Amino acid sequence: MKHFISVDQLPVKDIYNVLRRAEYYRLKDFKLNHQLFVANLFFEPSTRTKMSFIVAQRKLGLESLDFHSESSSVLKGESLYDTAKTFEAIGANMLVIRHELDDWFDQLKGKLSIPIINAGAGKAEHPTQCMLDLLTIYQEYGTFLEVKVAIVGDIKHSRVARSNAQALQKLGAEVYLCAAPGFEDEELGMPYIPIDKAAEICDVMMLLRIQHERHVHQAETSNYLNLYGLTKEREQKMKDNAIIMHPAPINRGVEIDTELVECSRSRIFKQMANGVYIRMAIIMELLEEWGIINENNFKERKAFATVK
Ligand code: CP
């Protein structure tokens, strides 16, 4: 992969390569001995993605170039393209970009000579979140085949839903969708079921935040938890080994009862921890692909492999 933009572009074997590599970095420290710079260009707010990219970069021994769009020359009208070209010119070896446009990558495609990672594209894709979610599910079940996953919530406005639904289906999971009226996205082509049914039959309840910032009209949420969210009553109907996931940030008490956020089934904070290892793996895959580094420890990584 030249750039990491969409999970759709990734063959199954490349997905497993990234998962395997992330597991290696989870189990073993690894640091590069080169001075390389990674620019983190976040044009939308972020806590987890941005900070876990920075931790991943520092663990790998890379120099993180921080960028705050609200105090940058974006305020003087500089475009995404000119901002990206500027970081390339001053020596960035890689760009990590989050932007509100679904298709921001089209502005940069073929025009830069450094790798780019998509850290969130509008409502379209969040491929690094998808990969850390896949790692979390794999750690739990050791396979994706026939694992039943319910993606629950504001599907229509969620880039996480889109990336995860496509990738999970490609890997052989059974994907179900649950959404309040108006939050469906029929383009995904996957079956919708009521949340009560999903809680009973699924191995993974993957909840989504209501994306208020992407709504034209403010959504009414006073009774959302009871009607469409994961209540304690629904959690009690879940299978013994079923788990709860959420990409966060969480609207506690809206899409999930606040007591369930840290219950024994919850993998929400484990997802965040996995985000560091997945992002280390993606960064390294791209640096190698572009010949910027040659890690050359494939055999050692294979010996550590816990992902088949
Ligand atoms: N899950 C996620 O993308 O969180 P942030 O918006 O905080 O990065």
Side-chain angles (χ1 to χ4, degrees):
M1 55 185 164
K2 282 303 247 191
H3 304 285
F4 192 82
I5 301 302
S6 162
V7 279
D8 215 23
Q9 77 184 112
L10 289 183
V12 166
K13 94 171 164 28
D14 288 1
I15 294 178
Y16 278 107
N17 275 344
V18 172
L19 298 182
R20 203 173 290 130
R21 194 164 193 151
E23 277 292 89
Y24 173 75
Y25 294 139
R26 183 173 70 84
L27 299 167
K28 200 165 185 309
D29 286 340
F30 178 82
K31 205 165 192 149
L32 290 163
N33 292 316
H34 312 259
Q35 190 184 46
L36 294 171
F37 298 97
V38 183
N40 299 300
L41 309 183
F42 280 67
F43 295 83
E44 276 193 331
S46 171
T47 299
R48 272 147 296 276
T49 310
K50 184 171 182 178
M51 290 304 140
S52 61
F53 261 115
I54 290 175
V55 173
Q57 290 153 14
R58 293 196 181 160
K59 275 178 171 276
L60 289 170
L62 301 166
E63 311 260 4
S64 304
L65 301 179
D66 205 2
F67 165 82
H68 300 274
S69 59
E70 66 280 7
S71 59
S72 74
S73 288
V74 169
L75 289 194
K76 302 174 202 163
E78 192 159 49
S79 65
L80 169 63
Y81 174 73
D82 283 332
T83 304
K85 287 296 283 183
T86 299
F87 276 94
E88 180 188 41
I90 65 175
N93 301 97
M94 174 179 281
L95 303 180
V96 175
I97 300 179
R98 171 175 287 192
H99 197 280
E100 64 273 16
L101 291 178
D102 288 7
D103 56 357
W104 59 259
F105 182 64
D106 291 349
Q107 298 178 31
L108 307 180
K109 201 173 179 176
K111 295 177 180 163
L112 279 89
S113 54
I114 51 176
I116 301 171
I117 298 177
N118 178 2
K123 301 190 293 300
E125 282 260 15
H126 195 348
T128 66
Q129 176 72 43
C130 172
M131 291 302 301
L132 72 90
D133 290 341
L134 295 180
L135 181 61
T136 308
I137 293 171
Y138 192 90
Q139 286 167 345
E140 204 68 35
Y141 298 108
T143 182
F144 298 101
L145 291 178
E146 295 173 17
V147 175
K148 293 185 171 64
V149 182
I151 304 179
V152 182
D154 187 0
I155 310 257
K156 185 174 179 177
H157 304 99
S158 171
R159 54 194 174 206
V160 176
R162 229 167 306 285
S163 293
N164 277 339
Q166 288 166 355
L168 283 162
Q169 197 171 54
K170 183 151 63 176
L171 291 164
E174 284 180 34
V175 182
Y176 300 95
L177 307 173
C178 309
F183 285 174
E184 306 98 333
D185 180 355
E186 299 300 341
E187 277 179 26
L188 283 175
M190 292 174 201
Y192 281 85
I193 59 174
I195 187 169
D196 290 289
K197 173 93 175 159
E200 280 173 31
I201 67 165
C202 286
D203 303 296
V204 179
M205 290 293 280
M206 183 183 286
L207 302 161
L208 302 172
R209 182 175 68 87
I210 299 183
Q211 312 265 309
H212 290 290
E213 72 277 19
R214 301 190 201 283
H215 293 181
V216 179
H217 304 292
Q218 185 72 17
E220 163 56 43
T221 58
S222 56
N223 207 19
Y224 185 90
L225 178 64
N226 286 332
L227 292 174
Y228 308 111
L230 190 60
T231 57
K232 284 188 273 187
E233 292 72 29
R234 290 184 178 117
E235 184 271 333
Q236 279 167 17
K237 291 183 190 152
M238 288 172 67
K239 295 198 271 190
D240 286 349
N241 296 326
I243 61 169
I244 298 168
M245 296 174 65
H246 191 309
I250 301 159
N251 295 308
R252 283 179 181 251
V254 179
E255 57 260 1
I256 181 169
D257 187 291
T258 191
E259 286 183 31
L260 298 179
V261 173
E262 290 159 75
C263 75
S264 59
R265 291 185 190 280
S266 171
R267 300 293 179 269
I268 296 171
F269 291 93
K270 188 176 186 188
Q271 288 172 262
M272 295 177 204
N274 281 336
V276 172
Y277 308 118
I278 276 292
R279 288 170 177 127
M280 289 173 78
I282 293 165
I283 289 169
M284 289 296 293
E285 289 280 329
L286 289 181
L287 290 176
E288 282 189 6
E289 172 76 25
W290 283 68
I292 298 169
I293 55 143
N294 181 6
E295 190 198 335
N296 203 17
N297 70 345
F298 181 74
K299 279 193 185 143
E300 191 189 340
R301 277 192 276 127
K302 212 166 172 200
F304 263 80
T306 51
V307 178
K308 301 287 173 264

